Amino acid sequence: VDWGFEAELNGIKLTASNSPAFQSFLENPLISRDQKEKTVAELMKGKVSDVTLNLMLTLAGNARLVDAPKIADTYSQLMKAKRGEVEATII
């Protein structure tokens, strides 16, 4: 099983949480969809898999980049369930 996609999504989420500029870019409705697509392509092409790049371009084209961190969380939950991982708190 290739977990590269999951790691890339988590990397995007981490970048958004650590970089106010990137978070602002994801959330800013004043940046056109075309400009967001171009910027995403410039930032990510050759640095992430084609699957991740296509997802991010699709999100940009549909004005949904702001949802990227939520998508990463949901995908990680699904993959953990598939791998049979269970989160536990040890007291």
Side-chain angles (χ1 to χ4, degrees):
V1 176
D2 178 20
W3 290 304
F5 180 64
E6 182 179 7
E8 289 174 346
L9 286 180
N10 286 330
I12 291 167
K13 177 186 167 195
L14 185 64
T15 301
S17 66
N18 290 336
S19 170
F22 186 63
Q23 183 67 33
S24 176
F25 168 75
L26 295 178
E27 295 175 350
N28 191 338
L30 301 177
I31 301 172
S32 72
R33 293 177 183 194
D34 288 341
Q35 185 57 48
K36 283 192 176 187
E37 284 180 334
K38 287 177 189 172
T39 303
V40 165
E42 290 170 6
L43 289 173
M44 297 185 179
K45 191 162 189 149
K47 296 177 185 168
V48 296
S49 67
D50 289 343
V51 173
T52 302
L53 180 60
N54 287 339
L55 172 63
M56 295 302 289
L57 290 173
T58 300
L59 292 175
N62 289 298
R64 295 283 185 232
L65 278 177
V66 69
D67 294 330
K70 289 183 243 172
I71 291 168
D73 285 340
T74 302
Y75 187 78
S76 285
Q77 287 176 341
L78 292 171
M79 290 305 296
K80 285 178 183 178
K82 180 168 177 49
R83 292 189 297 262
E85 293 179 18
V86 178
E87 290 190 26
T89 303
I90 298 174
I91 302 174

